[in-house]
Amino acid sequence: MDSDERPQQVTGVVIITLPPSDNPSLGKTITAFTLTNDVFPQSHQTQQRQQQEEEQTLPTTQILTPAPPSAQNPQRGFSFLGLFSDNPRKLLGFLGISLFALLLYSSAFSNTFVELRNSNNDDDEKPQSFIFPLYHKLGADLELKLGRFVDVDKENLVASVEGGATGTQKINKLVASNAAVIDSSGTILPVRGNVYPDGLYFTYMLVGNPQRRYFLDIDTGSDLTWIQCDAPCSSCAKGANPLYKPTRVNIVASKDLMCTEVQKNQKPQNCETCQQCDYEIEYADRSSSLGVLARDELHLVTANGSTTNLDVVFGCAYDQQGILLNTLSKTDGILGLSRAKVSLPSQLASKGIINNVVGHCLATDVGASGYMFLGDDFVPNWGMSWVPMLGSPSTEFYHTQIVKINYGSSSLSLGRQHSSIGRVVFDSGSSYTYFMKQAYAELVASLSEVSEVGFIQDVADTTLPMCWQAPFPIRFIKDVKQFFKTLTLQFGSKWWIISKRFHIPPEGYLIISKKGNVCLGILDGSKVHDGSTIILGDISLRGQLVVYDNEKLKIGWTQSDCAHPRRFKSLPFVEG
């Protein structure tokens, strides 16, 4: 280099384009641009040698390089810097558009299933996340869970693991406890089911040694996980699998800390001779389950095939009553996912297996189902709407506050005389959504406008309280959704800009009955729970990834097709 020559300034830009997911054989495409100061461009020979080296390094990758310098002017090569030298903003704009196009392409066509946290680079001691499948269950009736423990008279047990039967005393009392907060991470299970006609979503668990599979109804409104069992059984439905058979070593003693947790809000009783911990749960639909606590191995399989085995406490249910018996025709029990310490996520968190985070994603399409997970590995850290979780001394339900409900542009009443703030419970154990009496009446009045376009109420269709016959044949909600409006639940603030909103489109509150009518899947909740709370059931939770973060005490959601679980620890275009 001569003494009067200034150093060459070279800026390299490389754009990597991934192949479409449906045709990976196309390979990657790498586009390389060299930006120089126009004084010392690369020679044609240098570019050829560089291209040959790159092709040897990436034999399956298509290499795109700028055209060689013109023969008439060998001292000048193609320079993007020279092209944009008169306007640097154009250069920045060009680079920005190129980067945006790359990110958009990557986000649109990358369907890679992201592996769980226990990769080679992860600490082996870190807790894992588990994803659970959700399965179809046929012939289910309308379900409304929100289970509560009721008092069991220890002097008059319905049954015991050694037999015997008399009576029981029912006292409706809720269990109050704070979910364990442990610095840990997460689990994923696939989910099956639908709102109509099946009536619920469920997954499976592997329990015992040797392990056996049990189908369980996922329920964020229930504390205790229980399985129908032969202890012996006094009233059990013929479920999907043989009854769980406990041994004496599996039965939890009455002095066990978990038994104390279950019975701590019941009236004090002394039982010197009790060798087991009895429980009874009464659900909002008047059905019930009675049994004893058991402890056995739970087998959780991670996405990479490894297995985690640990002891958990669950209910050995030998006496079920009400419509619960009908819904158990092809399942084996309930998976309790509430905030209570006895719930499965709280038990796993207390052992350091997961962070106390629960999530589910129920697909809108009838042919799909979704998944659920325990732990925080699959919680997006972008695009979520979060609202604070309400604490309560008498319940472990997933509550939050609501400030407004709209049907289209029409506001519905929250039904509280002295407050403009209402409450909402997210309950995956309920098939349908429930509004307070006044809000429900106003919604039905607003929906009467569909009569103007030919919809006629069909009182002979008893599928749900409100069903309409359309003026034309219908098979799917999309055939009639144009005649109905979106419901919007507004949280946090009445100021639209800073509030959080949960949108329920027509497919989130309507079903098509077997008679071919369109029916309203929102019911009068004046006699449900406390009568002044909105209960969001499965019908309105579909198409949303819903997360219950018991570590940070918040509830979040984001729209999703619920096709595949993914770990969101980074932005999607740099993920994996």
Side-chain angles (χ1 to χ4, degrees):
M1 180 184 295
D2 296 337
S3 58
D4 59 345
E5 292 177 339
R6 56 190 178 90
Q8 180 182 7
Q9 297 179 358
V10 180
T11 301
V13 178
V14 178
I15 298 178
I16 303 175
T17 305
L18 300 178
S21 59
D22 57 352
N23 193 3
S25 62
L26 291 181
K28 301 177 182 177
T29 301
I30 300 179
T31 304
F33 299 102
T34 302
L35 310 181
T36 72
N37 59 4
D38 268 7
V39 178
F40 293 97
Q42 289 181 323
S43 67
H44 180 47
Q45 292 80 4
T46 302
Q47 291 180 352
Q48 287 180 330
R49 183 171 61 254
Q50 196 173 48
Q51 178 175 350
Q52 292 173 356
E53 292 174 354
E54 291 173 341
E55 289 174 346
Q56 291 173 357
T57 304
L58 299 171
T60 61
T61 303
Q62 181 181 0
I63 308 295
L64 301 180
T65 58
S70 172
Q72 287 87 356
N73 189 5
Q75 297 300 318
R76 290 191 60 84
F78 182 79
S79 172
F80 279 90
L81 188 60
L83 179 63
F84 296 110
S85 60
D86 59 334
N87 193 339
R89 291 186 179 180
K90 291 184 178 180
L91 173 60
L92 295 177
F94 172 80
L95 295 178
I97 293 174
S98 300
L99 180 60
F100 176 79
L102 171 64
L103 301 185
L104 183 62
Y105 183 90
S106 174
S107 177
F109 291 98
S110 178
N111 290 323
T112 303
F113 182 89
V114 181
E115 292 294 330
L116 294 169
R117 176 167 289 185
N118 51 357
S119 62
N120 294 332
N121 295 329
D122 289 338
D123 189 346
D124 293 338
E125 296 182 357
K126 285 185 178 180
Q128 301 170 355
S129 292
F130 303 87
I131 300 180
F132 297 74
L134 302 185
Y135 293 96
H136 287 283
K137 174 188 174 304
L138 301 177
D141 293 331
L142 179 149
E143 285 197 328
L144 177 61
K145 288 298 191 298
L146 297 178
R148 354 178 245 190
F149 288 111
V150 297
D151 195 20
V152 178
D153 188 345
K154 297 182 178 173
E155 300 297 328
N156 299 287
L157 299 178
V158 170
S160 70
V161 293
E162 297 177 348
T166 52
T168 184
Q169 179 182 8
K170 297 183 179 180
I171 299 178
N172 296 332
K173 291 193 176 182
L174 299 175
V175 171
S177 61
N178 294 323
V181 180
I182 303 296
D183 184 15
S184 52
S185 195
T187 305
I188 293 189
L189 290 179
V191 171
R192 295 292 183 269
N194 53 61
V195 173
Y196 181 83
D198 296 352
L200 84 167
Y201 290 84
F202 68 96
T203 187
Y204 73 90
M205 307 290 286
L206 301 174
V207 179
N209 189 12
Q211 63 188 24
R212 297 182 182 276
R213 183 181 64 175
Y214 298 98
F215 292 147
L216 301 177
D217 183 355
I218 63 170
D219 187 6
T220 57
S222 289
D223 297 341
L224 182 67
T225 296
W226 57 262
I227 303 172
Q228 288 198 125
C229 75
D230 185 8
C233 183
S234 59
S235 179
C236 290
K238 186 178 180 180
N241 298 286
L243 299 178
Y244 172 77
K245 181 69 175 179
T247 62
R248 170 56 64 182
V249 71
N250 296 126
I251 302 304
V252 174
S254 60
K255 295 181 180 181
D256 191 279
L257 292 178
M258 198 60 72
C259 182
T260 303
E261 183 64 34
V262 168
Q263 297 180 349
K264 73 179 193 177
N265 272 18
Q266 299 173 7
K267 63 182 182 180
Q269 300 184 44
N270 296 321
C271 184
E272 297 283 338
T273 60
C274 287
Q275 299 297 316
Q276 62 192 39
C277 180
D278 300 280
Y279 76 88
E280 183 173 4
I281 301 174
E282 185 176 274
Y283 295 100
D285 57 15
R286 306 303 180 189
S287 58
S288 63
S289 174
L290 186 145
V292 297
L293 292 189
R295 181 181 278 110
D296 208 338
E297 280 191 354
L298 173 66
H299 308 269
L300 296 173
V301 181
T302 62
N304 66 356
S306 63
T307 302
T308 298
N309 303 325
L310 66 154
D311 287 342
V312 296
V313 172
F314 56 93
C316 169
Y318 54 72
D319 188 353
Q320 281 62 251
Q321 301 295 330
I323 67 172
L324 186 60
L325 285 171
N326 297 331
T327 64
L328 287 169
S329 60
K330 291 191 176 181
T331 56
D332 305 296
I334 302 293
L335 178 57
L337 300 172
S338 76
R339 301 165 57 188
K341 287 183 178 180
V342 73
S343 73
L344 180 61
S346 292
Q347 288 192 57
L348 297 182
S350 68
K351 297 175 182 293
I353 304 300
I354 64 168
N355 279 324
N356 199 341
V357 177
V358 181
H360 57 70
C361 201
L362 310 179
T364 302
D365 295 338
V366 176
S369 294
Y371 60 90
M372 63 160 285
F373 59 84
L374 303 176
D376 62 354
D377 280 344
F378 300 88
V379 178
N381 47 16
W382 56 274
M384 292 284 291
S385 297
W386 292 101
V387 294
M389 190 184 298
L390 297 180
S392 172
S394 62
T395 182
E396 295 296 346
F397 301 143
Y398 291 111
H399 273 105
T400 189
Q401 289 184 336
I402 185 173
V403 296
K404 195 174 184 181
I405 315 174
N406 272 31
Y407 174 71
S409 59
S410 302
S411 180
L412 305 181
S413 173
L414 292 176
R416 300 175 70 89
Q417 296 179 354
H418 305 293
S419 175
S420 59
I421 297 177
R423 288 181 298 176
V424 174
V425 171
F426 289 73
D427 181 25
S428 66
S430 296
S431 304
Y432 297 102
T433 290
Y434 294 80
F435 276 7
M436 299 85 69
K437 184 175 183 178
Q438 188 172 349
Y440 175 75
E442 293 174 359
L443 175 62
V444 170
S446 297
L447 289 171
S448 63
E449 65 185 21
V450 297
S451 62
E452 300 175 2
V453 292
F455 285 77
I456 302 173
Q457 186 174 353
D458 185 357
V459 295
D461 191 342
T462 58
T463 304
L464 288 171
M466 293 290 300
C467 294
W468 298 273
Q469 184 179 21
F472 49 84
I474 56 175
R475 295 183 60 192
F476 306 102
I477 295 298
K478 65 180 181 180
D479 298 332
V480 296
K481 64 177 297 182
Q482 60 178 317
F483 303 105
F484 297 84
K485 301 175 183 177
T486 296
L487 278 161
T488 303
L489 279 60
Q490 191 169 331
F491 301 88
S493 172
K494 290 187 176 181
W495 293 95
W496 188 261
I497 297 178
I498 62 176
S499 64
K500 307 294 183 180
R501 292 173 295 280
F502 189 96
H503 297 290
I504 307 177
E507 55 267 32
Y509 63 85
L510 298 174
I511 66 164
I512 304 298
S513 72
K514 292 181 179 180
K515 293 187 64 175
N517 293 328
V518 55
C519 300
L520 177 62
I522 297 177
L523 308 178
D524 181 0
S526 59
K527 296 182 180 180
V528 175
H529 194 39
D530 58 6
S532 61
T533 300
I534 295 173
I535 299 173
L536 290 180
D538 292 337
I539 190 171
S540 300
L541 298 177
R542 296 177 303 171
Q544 301 279 350
L545 171 59
V546 183
V547 178
Y548 313 90
D549 190 336
N550 293 306
E551 302 283 349
K552 300 178 182 178
L553 298 179
K554 60 182 182 179
I555 301 172
W557 61 85
T558 186
Q559 189 174 357
S560 174
D561 62 5
C562 302
H564 300 289
R566 303 181 64 179
R567 190 174 72 178
F568 293 95
K569 289 302 179 185
S570 58
L571 294 178
F573 44 80
V574 297
E575 195 179 344

